[in-house]
Each structure stands twice: as structure tokens, then as C-alpha cells.
Amino acid sequence: MGMHLHTIRFYLYRKVFMKKFLSVTLLFIVFNAHSQQLKKYPVAKTGCSVYMFCDPGNFETSYSEDSSKVITGECIKDGFSYGLIYVQLKEIIHSKEDAEGLLESYLNFLKGQFTIREAAGYGKGMHLKEREDIIGMIDYWQSEDNQHWSIQGWTDGKILTVLYVKGSEQADYNKQQLFFKGFLFPGM
């Protein structure tokens, strides 16, 4: 009878332990999944929004040399900086080719600002959420301080935006794509 009671106790302890273990494991999985979720943030009062893995806080507003409104925001999650540069163009660009040219010129300008020493080369011909009026460009950079940059630019001829992920190593491709495709123009 003593052996039978010992077996029952072992079974009960194991059952209780497994319940607690599964509860803690499930809690960890839920917490981990929650911490990796994108959350929607309005980009100041532009009518645009962006899905980010972390809270960018208040976006900062400034003006470029040609008086275009520039709004920036950044946050850090898991060792990576997620950032956004929004430019309200002073003049509307109606030609897709001219808009793409302006986007490429702006990305070239940013290379100098971020001291980029290597670039993979622009990937062109992208559209955001199947909208033919929104064109995009992607690139991968490395700066002089050995930071790895993943860059995605979008423009509709009225707004130009650049999203970036920066870190000491290359960011997870799937996470960066979720972030890059998480920018929403007005009305989206």
C-alpha cells in the first residue's frame, strides 16, 4: 500500500508541476508574442500613421531648406532602432518617374547624413499595399560606424517617407518588412 500511495503522490506532484510549468510557459509565449506586436501610431497630425514595434513618443517637426515640413521619430526595440522620416513636399510631383527620381535623390542625401560607406543598390518598382500611385525603393547600407541599415522609401508625389531599421547586425527580414509595409498614407 505504501508503494501505491507513493505512486499516487508522484502522479499528483507531476500533474501540479506540469500545470504550473505549462501556465508559466504559456504566459511567456503570450508575453513574448505581445512584445513583438506592431502597434499603430499617428505621425503627428499628418493623417499618416505607422505600425512600429516600439513607441516612438512625440514626433519632432522641422523644416527643410525649401520649407518642406519634415517629421521624424525613432524608438529602440531589442537592440534595433526603428525610425521614420516624413517629408511633406512643398510642391506636388505628378510624374511617377519624377517622384521616383526625387526619392532616389533623397536617399542619396541621407547616405551622406548617415555616413554610409557601403550600399547594396536600390531595389525599385515597389508599390505599397497594391496602390499604383505609391512607389517605393529599398536598400541595405552599412555606415562608417559599422551599423547595418535597412531602408525603405515611399512616395505618392505629395509625401515622401523613409523608414529604417538600424543595428549592429542585419535586422530580421520578416520584422523589417512588417515595419516597412506598415506605413499608411492618408485614407489608407
Side-chain angles (χ1 to χ4, degrees), residues 89 92-105 135 137 155 157 160:
L89 300 174
I92 295 173
I93 299 171
H94 298 285
S95 159
K96 285 184 185 181
E97 293 80 18
D98 290 344
E100 185 177 66
L102 179 64
L103 179 57
E104 185 172 345
S105 293
I135 56 174
M137 204 173 289
T155 188
L160 184 147

Side-chain angles (χ1 to χ4, degrees), residues 2-19:
M3 184 65 151
H4 182 63
L5 198 57
H6 178 64
T7 304
I8 292 172
R9 274 194 206 140
F10 176 73
Y11 173 75
L12 290 174
Y13 285 137
R14 192 176 87 182
K15 190 173 182 176
V16 168
F17 172 77
M18 287 305 290
K19 269 187 174 180

Side-chain angles (χ1 to χ4, degrees), residues 171-182:
D172 177 77
Y173 178 79
N174 293 323
K175 282 182 80 170
Q176 78 184 17
Q177 288 301 304
L178 285 171
F179 172 57
F180 290 162
K181 293 176 181 170

Side-chain angles (χ1 to χ4, degrees), residues 8 24 31 37 48 54 62 64 92 106 124 148-149 167 184:
I8 292 172
V24 169
F31 177 75
Q37 289 181 348
C48 295
C54 45
S62 61
S64 68
I92 295 173
Y106 192 70
K124 300 179 180 181
H148 295 267
W149 293 71
L184 302 174

Side-chain angles (χ1 to χ4, degrees), residues 56-74:
N58 293 327
F59 287 89
E60 294 181 24
T61 302
S62 61
Y63 291 88
S64 68
E65 289 180 14
D66 72 348
S67 301
S68 295
K69 183 187 271 190
V70 179
I71 298 172
T72 58
E74 183 179 88

Side-chain angles (χ1 to χ4, degrees), residues 152-170:
Q152 175 72 63
W154 298 111
T155 188
D156 65 354
K158 300 175 212 140
I159 296 168
L160 184 147
T161 188
V162 176
L163 296 113
Y164 62 86
V165 181
K166 172 181 73 164
S168 59
E169 58 188 41
Q170 192 65 43

